[in-house]
Amino acid sequence: INVFEGDTKKLLVSPIHDLSALQVNECPDDVSGGPLFAIRFARSIPLFDVLNQNLSVLEPQVFHRISVGPNQQSDTNLNWSYDRQTADSVFKASLQRSSTLGFIDKSYRDVFLEPVRATEYSHGTTRNARTISQANLDWSERTPSAQWGAGLDVQEKMDELYNYQAVVDFTNPRAPVESIDRNTSNSYAVTTRLSAAYLTRKWNTEQWEILLGGRIENYELDLHPNQNGQRRWTSLNPSLDAQYVIDDSNNLSFSYRRSLQMPDARDLNPFTTYIDAQNVTRGNPSLKPQTVDVWELGPDFTGDNLSGNLTAVLRRTADTVVETRSFSEKLIVSSRQNGGHAQALGLNSSLD
């Protein structure tokens, strides 16, 4: 129960879930990896009954807001992979294509207890579709002095999102009339293209194991309807993993890596989207990606009956994406913006 200035809400939930899946595997001599084909369908039919008691106004209101799904999601995956190994080298290639389709029914009806009046209806839906196509090449070879690795990654990801909201007039039950809310009904698409290349080298000595790498990435972002034109980012992301052997039972490990994190497609929505009667979201199509640097340092130990590690983690983020909130016409409006720099320090530990 949530209480705000005399307003009380009670929520009852009664969900129904369905799940079905199909998977096909084939493994010829030179092909390995996951399933060649997989499809999954999931559906839930939640029944939400929210009792609203608005007692802070001159004319109190008491009503049930009742909504019924269905909410459903389907996934399709196609995969192909190939690897070839020799005594000193490994070559791998893979192709993947996946698609996800989700549908959320946000329709509801308000059944009024006080004052007594006709039930009000609203029809709302959200549809989201994501398609990812990617290709990967990876090669590694061991030489007398070191081990080399290199690879290429290419990916295209498309997110299509559709939101619909309307008030339904059931004066004539046989021919209900919907009045579309133009402020919260919209559709948009985000396409992200990635092309990347990386190179690694690994050294081993009596006490040291060091893996040094570098990855150059180029991102292209297209948003339709297009407000800012196509945007591009290129980054060079180094990485380092090092382990020092203290003795047969104790090691000291250190790692560093940098990455570029693209904004979520939902946060780029150039429109206002209905969430519920008290909340709407407004995306920010001008969001930039976050740059994240992570350092880790800590010991590892192995005993006769016990092993474990303790790791200190420092994470620094530039152009951090943060949530902002404001109020407009008694609604809470949520959005995203780049908020400068952030830093987090923590400890991780494990015992086995």
Side-chain angles (χ1 to χ4, degrees):
I1 302 175
N2 297 319
V3 180
F4 300 95
E5 297 181 356
D7 299 346
T8 304
K9 297 181 180 181
K10 299 180 181 180
L11 172 63
L12 302 176
V13 183
S14 177
I16 299 174
H17 302 286
D18 294 317
L19 175 65
S20 59
L22 172 68
Q23 182 170 304
V24 177
N25 293 315
E26 183 179 357
C27 295
D29 293 341
D30 291 333
V31 177
S32 64
L36 281 177
F37 173 78
I39 185 170
R40 178 180 179 274
F41 176 77
R43 182 181 66 167
S44 65
I45 307 178
L47 170 61
F48 293 98
D49 185 347
V50 182
L51 175 60
N52 291 264
Q53 295 178 302
N54 187 354
L55 307 178
S56 60
V57 295
L58 295 178
E59 184 181 356
Q61 289 185 340
V62 180
F63 64 93
H64 285 268
R65 172 158 292 179
I66 301 172
S67 59
V68 180
N71 304 330
Q72 53 194 46
Q73 178 174 310
S74 61
D75 305 283
T76 304
N77 298 282
L78 296 173
N79 297 279
W80 175 86
S81 60
Y82 169 88
D83 67 66
R84 174 71 69 181
Q85 299 187 29
T86 65
D88 297 317
S89 65
V90 177
F91 174 76
K92 297 180 180 180
S94 64
L95 297 173
Q96 295 115 24
R97 182 175 175 85
S98 63
S99 62
T100 302
L101 178 63
F103 178 84
I104 302 174
D105 190 337
K106 297 187 290 188
S107 303
Y108 63 85
R109 66 183 187 273
D110 290 339
V111 180
F112 286 86
L113 304 180
E114 182 183 347
V116 177
R117 66 172 188 248
T119 299
E120 297 179 358
Y121 295 84
S122 176
H123 180 201
T125 59
T126 292
R127 177 185 181 274
N128 57 81
R130 168 173 288 183
T131 303
I132 300 177
S133 302
Q134 58 185 24
N136 309 96
L137 297 175
D138 182 80
W139 163 84
S140 63
E141 182 169 341
R142 184 172 61 245
T143 66
S145 60
Q147 180 174 325
W148 291 88
L152 298 173
D153 293 331
V154 178
Q155 183 190 88
E156 181 179 84
K157 179 174 67 175
M158 176 177 288
D159 291 278
E160 298 176 282
L161 296 100
Y162 167 84
N163 298 290
Y164 177 82
Q165 195 69 34
V167 176
V168 186
D169 184 355
F170 272 93
T171 303
N172 182 357
R174 294 185 177 182
V177 177
E178 294 193 5
S179 300
I180 300 176
D181 184 347
R182 302 292 180 183
N183 292 322
T184 56
S185 297
N186 51 71
S187 63
Y188 68 102
V190 179
T191 302
T192 307
R193 300 179 185 89
L194 164 68
S195 53
Y198 57 89
L199 179 67
T200 62
R201 186 177 181 182
K202 185 177 180 180
W203 296 269
N204 288 90
T205 65
E206 185 176 341
Q207 288 187 294
W208 284 96
E209 179 179 283
I210 300 174
L211 177 64
L212 180 64
R215 178 182 172 94
I216 185 168
E217 297 179 327
N218 181 73
Y219 281 97
E220 296 179 358
L221 180 66
D222 284 320
L223 177 63
H224 180 79
N226 199 331
Q227 296 182 345
N228 297 318
Q230 185 184 75
R231 296 192 289 165
R232 291 186 176 89
W233 295 271
T234 300
S235 66
L236 176 60
N237 301 322
S239 64
L240 172 65
D241 292 273
Q243 185 177 75
Y244 177 72
V245 178
I246 300 173
D247 54 40
D248 292 341
S249 302
N250 298 279
N251 302 318
L252 183 64
S253 299
F254 169 80
S255 69
Y256 164 75
R257 54 188 32 86
R258 173 180 293 173
S259 62
L260 193 67
Q261 296 182 353
M262 298 297 292
D264 189 281
R266 291 167 295 184
D267 295 336
L268 296 169
N269 183 357
F271 304 104
T272 299
T273 302
Y274 171 90
I275 302 300
D276 56 39
Q278 285 79 39
N279 295 273
V280 297
T281 64
R282 289 175 184 164
N284 181 358
S286 299
L287 279 179
K288 298 183 293 185
Q290 302 180 127
T291 301
V292 182
D293 294 278
V294 180
W295 291 264
E296 296 184 357
L297 176 66
D300 306 281
F301 68 90
T302 303
D304 294 335
N305 300 312
L306 187 67
S307 63
N309 64 71
L310 178 66
T311 305
V313 182
L314 174 62
R315 176 189 175 100
R316 288 180 175 174
T317 307
D319 293 319
T320 308
V321 175
V322 296
E323 182 179 13
T324 63
R325 290 190 176 185
S326 59
F327 293 90
S328 175
E329 298 179 355
K330 299 183 180 180
L331 293 175
I332 300 175
V333 182
S334 302
S335 187
R336 296 286 192 275
Q337 68 179 25
N338 292 103
H341 295 74
Q343 181 172 294
L345 181 64
L347 284 174
N348 296 325
S349 63
S350 67
L351 289 174
D352 295 317

